[in-house]
Amino acid sequence: MTVRRDFQEPSRSRPDLVIGREDLFTSARDQLGRGGSVLLHGPAGIGKSTVLRALAADYAGPDRTVLRCSATESESHLPFLALADLFGLVLDDVSGSLPAAQRTALESALTGRGESTLQRDGLALRLAVLSALRALAARGPVLVVADDLQWLDAASAELLGFAARRLGDTPVQMLCAVRTEGEEYDRHLRASPPDTLAVRLGPLTRTQVSALLDHRGYTPLSRSTVRDIHRTSGGNPLFALELGRALAESTARPRPGEPLPVPTSLRALVLSRLEMLSDEARRTLLVASAGARPSLALLHAAGREHAEAETAQAAALGLLATDSEAPALRFAHPLISAALYAEAPAQERRAVHAALSTAASDPIERARHLALATTGTDPEVAARLAEAAALARDRGAPSVAASLGLLAARHTPADSTPGPDERRLQAAEDAITAGEADLARDIARDVLTRATVPAERVRAWMVVIEAAGQALGDVDAVFPQVLADAGDDPGLLALVHYQLAWRGLVVEGDFAEARQEAAHAAELAARGGDRRTELMALSFQASTETLMGHPDAPVTVKRALTEPQDPYVACHHNGAGSARFRWLIMSDQLPEARATITALLREVRRRGMVESEVHFLRFLADTELRSGHCGRALDLARESLRLARDSGIGEGASAMLASLAEASGGDVDRALALAREAADHAEVDGDQMYLSRALAALGYAQLVAGDPAAAVRSLRRVRELEQGLGINDPGRGRWHGDLAEALVRVGEPGEAQDLVDTTRVHAMRLGRQSVLAVLDRAEALVRAARGDHEGALVRLASVQDRLGRLGYGLEEARAAFALARLRAQSTAARGSAPATPAPAPYDEAARLFRRCRALPWLRQVDAAATAGSAAPVAPAASAPAVALDALEGLASMERQVASLVMEGATNREIAARLFISVKTVEATLTRVYRKLGIRSRVDIVRLAAGRRTT
């Protein structure tokens, strides 16, 4: 796809902020830092110029020379223009060091005097460019920056290529960007220095597109609109920004089921090629653009008799992507389909939808096309759309159901039963299920401007409250209004008091109040015959009592699980199944907890319940983390965080769990950043409950990072918060052992012992065996700090065994590490080696941490072994310091793969342990080789052994 030069965004309006390209930018920057060159390539508008400018700005310095040129298509016929851009300002500085013939040839080419040509002055010009670069490099490093290399005039391209191949060790590097639209970049690479790294820029993810739009100030756009922008733009940042700008500036929004309007600036990119189609071929493509999954069979059914020939014509023009094995037709870029549809007159679009309403095989698609072919209200069309929405809901596609529901409302006459607003409210509830909170809120607010029936008003207010998520403080003013609307109806009041229970927990931080409101809501719902709300309220009451350590918790869990059950509540993240999971995991029943949450996750994915999926991914990650499966936990936590950021749901909670997973099995710096992000979310939302969880994650990350003083500060605040909240169950946050350990490290064993004693009372009352074991581990550290080494050793050995039997792999490894440290200290204190060789003190801890894939802890083991006088840890147990230092420059996944190679794992074994494909392992290893400057797995093994690679 060709982007007109006059359409491209001027460089001064683009910030040197690289959104969504952090890893790519780091890789390219590292390449430049090593003295290499970089070739950025990718399609038009993908962001090559932004990355190029950011890299050039990062490279620039007072002792470095940066030469720049940026070509345009309209100027590509002018010889030596790029050369003039590069050398025009430095010619006077270097001309004195050039031989006369070279100086004359270069000056003639740059100034246009003397009509220099490659044919006449070819050798002199080539040598002049090479000599000029060497002369500049004699004063300091030189970077040649060339944007839009494909438009470089032929003469300049030839001269730069000649110099690039002959610079050798001269400190001259090249940073170039070239458009590749299905083309190979090899010919440009051949004209670059031999050590050039080719970096392809691909499309942005939906989250990255959202961040880009936010950065440009297009914040009023809803998440569902951002999703449509991402789909239509294909992740191309330039196209996404143009679509976002047009929508932000427009007062009208596309109606449900319709694609985004495409601004004229983007239509121009494809309309020139559309004009080359015959009229019939263009109509055929319009039918394809309106269909959800266009195929030749669908086009024939819609009356396009010559679909094969007409689509072949479109493919020849590059409008359709050709794939002989795929039955569906695919546009070369989503923007082509969107522009084609946007350009068509409304009457022609309706005719296309009318044809597809009978041609499509899927009833949901037929109903959607019927709606888009119909103007005005029509009860029959509305009924078919409502049926299609129910089918989509049953299929686990609530987002589609919401869209169909809004179409149904639009075609529902005002005096119908159900009425248009009732259908809108169902669409809003589907949008909540789909994770489209902003769309749901907008629908509900619209209904509230008209609704007078109390049931409809309360239902709309419930959507507004649900859409607020954890930020319930933002909708405080809603509660008096909804209570007034509910009147004395027990069914409606039950809905309100259920939400008041959440407010008591999240906003007030009062577990007792929350429990009381939940119990009241359950009683009201039972009186009103609303079993769903009754079960939700009982589930909330059960979870609250569990966290409080309330003795009624087991009984309430059983009440929430009694029949008859509601399928929605059974799998909801605040429902009975979730309450049972919380009870199981806090009672140390990890296998049962894993089975429960895995089944729940499977069901909510089937139903398309995005918010519940976010939370259940987090719950499963927490279960795996407690079980010592750090790699699996890290993958799940990252998946939960990605989904949370895409949907805008549960971001703080997912960031909190991702922090714990990163600190245990990934990158500690990232763990610290995520914990602070989670704390910021909780502070902004006024959510004290999750603030304590976020600070507990921060304290743990600080402890792993080797900053016990900071950990003490964070975890003391957690203690204060949870005392104020009334949380008495130490199985909830499990931060008590971390605080005690940090206190011992900063020289406060007395406070640590007091904490252990206080917490043990609650843990014993509730039967929290793993918490008791962790407290015993902390108490052993207190004993050691007070000089009772023998007592501490006995206690730690017992703790390690207990935690292993309970299935807490990471806590077991931490006990082994504490035991190893104490033994090493005892050996050092005796000052003599044992008479017979004994295993190195840290071997067992290293083995257990390696089994957990707890890489940050493995680094601590290595540091302890290296710093002490004990025998070093064997290479099979943990990579030596030289290896760990080398891995620090790698991304998290790259470090994990390299570490497993150091242990001797095969690619298939690595794939199994990291839950990735073998191809992903191979691709990751290729990046590792490049970053470490090595060539094979053998070199990684040599690195592990501390030997120099060759």
Side-chain angles (χ1 to χ4, degrees), residues 33-56:
R34 289 190 292 267
S37 297
V38 174
L39 176 67
L40 306 171
H41 65 100
I46 204 68
K48 301 180 297 296
S49 298
T50 299
V51 175
L52 179 135
R53 281 194 301 275
L55 287 168

Side-chain angles (χ1 to χ4, degrees), residues 735-883:
W735 48 266
H736 311 77
D738 293 334
L739 176 54
E741 181 175 338
L743 286 166
V744 170
R745 290 197 196 181
V746 299
E748 295 287 351
E751 184 181 344
Q753 186 64 59
D754 290 343
L755 173 66
V756 168
D757 293 340
T758 303
T759 308
R760 185 179 280 133
V761 172
H762 295 294
M764 290 183 69
R765 175 174 60 84
L766 297 166
R768 303 296 186 239
Q769 295 302 317
S770 63
V771 174
L772 288 168
V774 168
L775 292 173
D776 284 350
R777 185 184 69 203
E779 188 172 49
L781 298 177
V782 173
R783 288 189 179 187
R786 290 173 169 173
D788 182 8
H789 280 228
E790 291 304 318
L793 286 169
V794 172
R795 178 65 61 92
L796 285 171
S798 170
V799 164
Q800 181 183 340
D801 179 64
R802 286 158 57 197
L803 288 167
R805 282 187 279 108
L806 287 167
Y808 283 77
L810 184 58
E811 298 291 1
E812 177 192 6
R814 288 180 63 180
F817 187 24
L819 187 61
R821 275 177 163 163
L822 197 53
R823 283 173 175 163
Q825 291 168 8
S826 298
T827 302
R830 288 195 299 267
S832 60
T836 56
Y842 295 99
D843 282 358
E844 174 70 359
R847 181 186 69 80
L848 292 172
F849 280 132
R850 190 173 68 253
R851 185 182 68 183
C852 295
R853 266 196 57 222
L855 301 182
W857 286 103
L858 266 173
R859 295 187 187 97
Q860 287 201 32
V861 171
D862 181 75
T866 303
S869 58
V873 180
S878 175
V882 63

Side-chain angles (χ1 to χ4, degrees), residues 415-636:
D415 57 351
S416 294
T417 303
D421 279 344
E422 188 172 349
R423 283 179 165 150
R424 287 188 182 94
L425 287 172
Q426 179 61 65
E429 289 162 357
D430 286 329
I432 285 285
T433 302
E436 299 181 8
D438 48 1
L439 174 62
R441 180 174 52 249
D442 290 346
I443 296 170
R445 292 283 188 187
D446 175 56
V447 169
L448 284 166
T449 62
R450 295 181 300 276
T452 56
V453 178
E456 284 190 355
R457 290 190 62 79
V458 171
R459 192 175 171 188
W461 285 125
M462 291 302 103
V463 170
V464 172
I465 294 170
E466 287 279 354
Q470 297 295 112
L472 285 175
D474 293 348
V475 291
D476 251 357
V478 165
F479 287 100
Q481 299 177 60
V482 69
L483 280 169
D485 285 332
D488 56 2
D489 185 315
L492 297 180
L493 285 170
L495 293 170
V496 183
H497 282 279
Y498 174 71
Q499 294 296 346
L500 284 170
W502 277 104
R503 184 189 176 280
L505 183 64
V506 174
V507 179
E508 300 297 333
D510 189 331
F511 272 67
E513 178 187 338
R515 175 180 175 272
Q516 183 178 347
E517 287 285 5
H520 186 39
E523 187 267 331
L524 286 167
R527 281 170 44 200
D530 183 353
R531 181 62 174 163
R532 173 174 290 188
T533 302
E534 181 187 5
L535 288 171
M536 289 294 287
L538 285 171
S539 300
F540 180 85
Q541 182 184 345
S543 295
T544 305
E545 289 174 349
T546 299
L547 295 173
M548 294 172 69
H550 196 285
D552 290 349
V555 175
T556 310
V557 170
K558 287 181 181 178
R559 287 181 62 199
L561 291 169
T562 55
E563 297 293 339
Q565 281 292 312
D566 181 287
Y568 175 83
V569 177
C571 65
H572 191 274
H573 61 280
N574 290 321
S578 185
R580 180 171 182 268
F581 163 78
R582 288 188 180 93
W583 174 255
L584 288 169
I585 198 167
M586 292 176 68
S587 301
D588 299 324
Q589 300 179 57
L590 296 182
E592 294 87 348
R594 181 185 293 106
T596 298
I597 201 63
T598 300
L600 288 170
L601 178 59
R602 187 184 306 115
E603 179 62 15
V604 298
R605 280 174 165 167
R606 187 188 72 78
R607 289 171 169 265
M609 297 168 67
V610 174
E611 183 173 7
S612 292
E613 183 180 356
V614 169
H615 291 295
F616 287 159
L617 281 168
R618 177 168 58 84
F619 292 170
L620 183 54
D622 190 17
T623 308
E624 299 293 359
L625 197 58
R626 294 181 189 222
S627 302
H629 305 150
C630 297
R632 175 72 172 146
L634 189 58
D635 290 341
L636 289 164

Side-chain angles (χ1 to χ4, degrees), residues 77-94:
H77 65 286
L78 300 174
F80 306 122
L81 186 61
L83 200 68
D85 286 343
L86 290 170
F87 292 104
L89 297 178
V90 297
L91 181 60
D92 293 341
D93 297 335
V94 299

